[in-house]
Structure formats: structure tokens, C-alpha cells
């Protein structure tokens, strides 16, 4: 999110998780940013290797494998290992007609989605080898602030309140069981907070079932 009226030309980001692997990157914009559709759809290395420009600005943006994942060989010492590991370097750039104000990329929004092998704490930093975050015009110095987070289905906390057990959770439906081996039953609650009075069972367990 841009908070000072700046427009970002490109992002070079290192994304890492503290457990498991980053398996895929999806839901990213592709192509030029226009008045009809705005976004960061220019991925420098992937564009070089996979996109064919037929004439002018006409290009095959749907080329197989075109994605923001950086090519490790371009900067081996400044690139995270990539998909199938705990860290990936991403490159996002935008091209638009400066004479059309509505064509500039938006001040806030999602760059992409990540597929993780398991819930994990995600960390973001700029990748200095690829320029970090570049504003337009480039002499504008943006101060980047990143907020990492726990990503994926997870129990966030369990507390006792007014005679009830209160479970805080994220990214799915809360399930419960009286034994770790199950059977597990859905609570029907995907809102992130669940409260119930303790039952007769000696112990009760909770987990989150991820929903797409």
C-alpha cells in the first residue's frame, strides 16, 4: 500500500517462511497497466525468457511459465533458492502510458498469492540486488515497511472467558475432537473466533480445516 501519493514502478522482494516450502505463486497480474486493467505485470527475467513481442506492444502475456519468480542464475548471490524451498525472490514491474492517469498501477492491492506446504510465519524484505522498491519518478525515496504474518490454517490462541473456552483461529473451519486420532467434527464456524462451554470429556482438541 502506497501511503504518501507515490507510484511504485517496480518491486524486488525476498519472501521466506520459517517452516515448510513455498510451492507456487499465483493470482498475479500480467501485461501492461492500462486504464482498463491496472497492475504489476512485467516480470523482467521471465519476460526475457518466455514472452514474445509480435509487434509494438502486442505480446503473449499468457506464455507458459511467465511469472514473477526471479531467475537464480541472473544473480546467484542475491537470489533466494526458489519454488520448492523456504525462500523465493519475486520481481514485479509496471509499464503504463504516463499521459493516462487512470493507467497507473493502484496505490494498494495484492501482488500475488503463495501456495505453502504448511502454515508458516512469512517474512518480506526488499531484494537489493534487483533494486528493491523503485518509485516513479525514481528520485522519490520510498520508505518501505513490511509486516510479516502467520499464513495458513492455524489455531492462534485458546483462552478461558466467563466460563467458556474461547478459540481464536484463521483460514478455515474449526474442528474439534475428544481424541487426537479423531474422529474430527466440524463446528460450522469459519469466522475466526469460537466459544463453547466445557463438556464432559476429559480433554478436547481443536484444529483448523483449510477451505478454498
Amino acid at each position: 500500500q502506497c501511503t504518501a501519493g507515490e507510484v511504485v514502478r517496480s518491486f524486488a522482494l525476498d519472501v521466506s517462511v520459517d517452516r515448510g516450502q513455498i510451492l507456487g505463486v499465483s493470482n498475479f497480474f500480467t501485461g501492461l497497466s492500462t486504464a482498463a486493467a491496472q497492475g504489476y505485470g512485467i516480470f523482467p527475467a521471465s519476460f526475457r525468457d518466455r514472452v514474445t513481442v509480435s509487434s509494438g506492444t502486442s505480446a503473449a502475456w499468457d506464455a507458459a511459465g511467465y511469472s514473477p519468480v526471479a531467475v537464480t542464475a541472473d544473480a546467484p548471490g542475491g537470489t533466494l533458492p526458489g519454488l520448492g524451498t523456504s525462500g523465493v525472490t519475486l520481481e514485479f514491474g509496471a509499464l503504463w502510458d504516463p499521459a493516462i492517469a487512470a493507467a497507473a498501477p493502484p496505490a494498494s492491492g495484492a501482488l500475488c498469492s503463495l501456495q505453502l506446504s504448511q502454515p508458516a510465519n512469512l517474512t518480506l524484505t526488499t531484494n537489493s540486488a534487483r533494486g528493491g522498491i523503485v518509485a516513479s519518478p525514481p528520485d522519490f525515496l520510498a520508505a518501505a515497511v513490511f509486516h510479516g504474518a502467520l499464513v495458513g490454517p492455524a489455531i492462534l490462541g485458546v483462552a478461558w472467558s466467563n466460563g467458556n473456552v474461547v478459540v481464536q483461529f484463521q483460514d478455515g473451519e474449526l474442528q474439534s475432537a475428544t481424541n487426537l486420532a479423531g474422529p474430527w467434527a466440524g463446528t460450522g464456524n469459519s469466522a475466526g473466533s469460537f466459544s463453547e462451554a466445557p463438556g464432559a470429556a476429559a480433554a478436547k482438541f481443536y484444529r483448523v480445516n483449510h477451505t478454498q
Side-chain angles (χ1 to χ4, degrees):
Q1 180 182 22
C2 297
T3 60
E6 73 273 28
V7 177
V8 174
R9 172 69 68 182
S10 64
F11 296 90
L13 304 172
D14 285 339
V15 184
S16 58
V17 291
D18 65 347
R19 66 182 72 180
Q21 301 174 339
I22 301 174
L23 301 178
V25 180
S26 61
N27 297 333
F28 43 79
F29 180 82
T30 59
L32 304 178
S33 187
T34 68
Q38 304 83 37
Y40 292 88
I42 309 298
F43 319 131
S46 193
F47 180 91
R48 175 199 65 204
D49 297 338
R50 300 179 183 276
V51 175
T52 299
V53 179
S54 54
S55 63
T57 59
S58 179
W61 300 111
D62 59 351
Y66 182 58
S67 84
V69 178
V71 177
T72 303
D74 289 344
T79 309
L80 295 182
L83 298 180
T85 75
S86 62
V88 62
T89 297
L90 304 177
E91 303 175 303
F92 297 91
L95 288 177
W96 67 93
D97 185 343
I100 304 175
S108 65
L111 290 174
C112 66
S113 298
L114 300 177
Q115 180 187 359
L116 307 184
S117 63
Q118 65 184 92
N121 290 299
L122 184 144
T123 302
L124 283 170
T125 59
T126 54
N127 181 282
S128 58
R130 289 171 170 78
I133 297 177
V134 179
S136 178
D139 57 351
F140 183 97
L141 298 179
V145 178
F146 296 105
H147 299 283
L150 176 64
V151 178
I155 301 291
L156 302 178
V158 180
W160 180 260
S161 178
N162 297 322
N164 290 323
V165 175
V166 180
V167 183
Q168 304 294 333
F169 63 99
Q170 69 178 29
D171 202 21
E173 180 191 9
L174 186 71
Q175 297 181 330
S176 65
T178 56
N179 189 296
L180 275 176
W184 291 88
T187 63
N189 188 319
S190 300
S193 182
F194 176 78
S195 176
E196 68 174 352
K204 197 161 191 181
F205 303 90
Y206 298 94
R207 72 179 187 184
V208 182
N209 182 38
H210 179 64
T211 54
Q212 297 293 336

